[in-house]
Amino acid sequence: QSSVVSDEWQPIVRQSAVWDGVCHANVMLARTLDDLLVYRKSLDACAAVSAFREQQILRADYELRAQLGSASAAVPANIAEGFGQQSDRQFAKYLFIARGSCHEVRAHLAVARGRKHLTDAELKGLSGKYEEIARMLTGLIKYLRASDRKERG
């Protein structure tokens, strides 16, 4: 059942570690926020949503445009805020919020598709980014809950 950790976890776990819902052996700690691949991916996804929000077709849909902007920006913001917390459990709390924001972005994108603001391919591409980020956050949350360090230092 265990498999080698995928490349997306390299900032968190060395390649020789295995993954089966909890990280094992050879754990590396991210020393800076930029060491977290999930954070960098969330910034890239936020930039992609921002580019979509600038399209002429979405400019008249002010409410949806604003909701997409807020939800997409909340993902990296909550990862960053959590990273600065004292304990693993506190960090995980913010990652849960970031994961919820991933789902919110995906819902707003589905609404945008329903309103013919984007194509199926565009929906799949943008939504897929947030689905991947949500999976990564889930894995990191599981790791943090298992390690449960009181002082992240």
Side-chain angles (χ1 to χ4, degrees):
Q1 274 186 356
S2 295
S3 62
V4 175
V5 176
S6 68
D7 289 341
E8 66 193 25
W9 288 101
Q10 293 313 307
I12 301 165
V13 180
R14 291 187 187 138
Q15 207 163 15
S16 62
V18 293
W19 175 263
D20 62 1
V22 177
C23 294
H24 302 280
N26 298 321
V27 174
M28 291 184 352
L29 301 179
R31 296 192 188 280
T32 68
L33 184 58
D34 289 324
D35 287 343
L36 288 176
L37 182 58
V38 69
Y39 173 72
R40 293 193 315 268
K41 283 184 179 256
S42 71
L43 289 174
D44 290 343
C46 185
V49 167
S50 292
F52 167 63
R53 290 178 62 239
E54 293 305 315
Q55 292 180 5
Q56 188 65 35
I57 195 165
L58 195 62
R59 289 199 178 191
D61 199 337
Y62 302 112
E63 187 177 333
L64 181 59
R65 189 170 184 260
Q67 288 172 325
L68 270 168
S70 295
S72 64
V75 177
N78 279 294
I79 295 169
E81 190 168 356
F83 188 81
Q85 297 301 307
Q86 182 175 349
S87 71
D88 284 348
R89 285 192 183 257
Q90 290 170 328
F91 186 10
K93 178 180 107 174
Y94 285 91
L95 297 181
F96 276 114
I97 296 167
R99 189 176 69 180
S101 294
C102 286
H103 294 293
E104 182 181 358
V105 171
R106 294 182 69 216
H108 291 315
L109 290 169
V111 169
R113 175 62 189 120
R115 294 179 184 174
K116 310 287 190 235
H117 295 326
L118 74 165
T119 66
D120 285 337
E122 290 169 325
L123 173 63
K124 184 177 179 183
L126 286 171
S127 188
K129 290 177 187 294
Y130 283 93
E131 186 177 1
E132 177 186 22
I133 291 164
R135 279 194 313 267
M136 292 173 74
L137 289 169
T138 296
L140 183 51
I141 289 165
K142 287 179 180 179
Y143 165 73
L144 291 170
R145 289 176 121 192
S147 66
D148 197 23
R149 291 176 297 153
K150 305 295 184 222
E151 294 287 331
R152 297 186 63 244

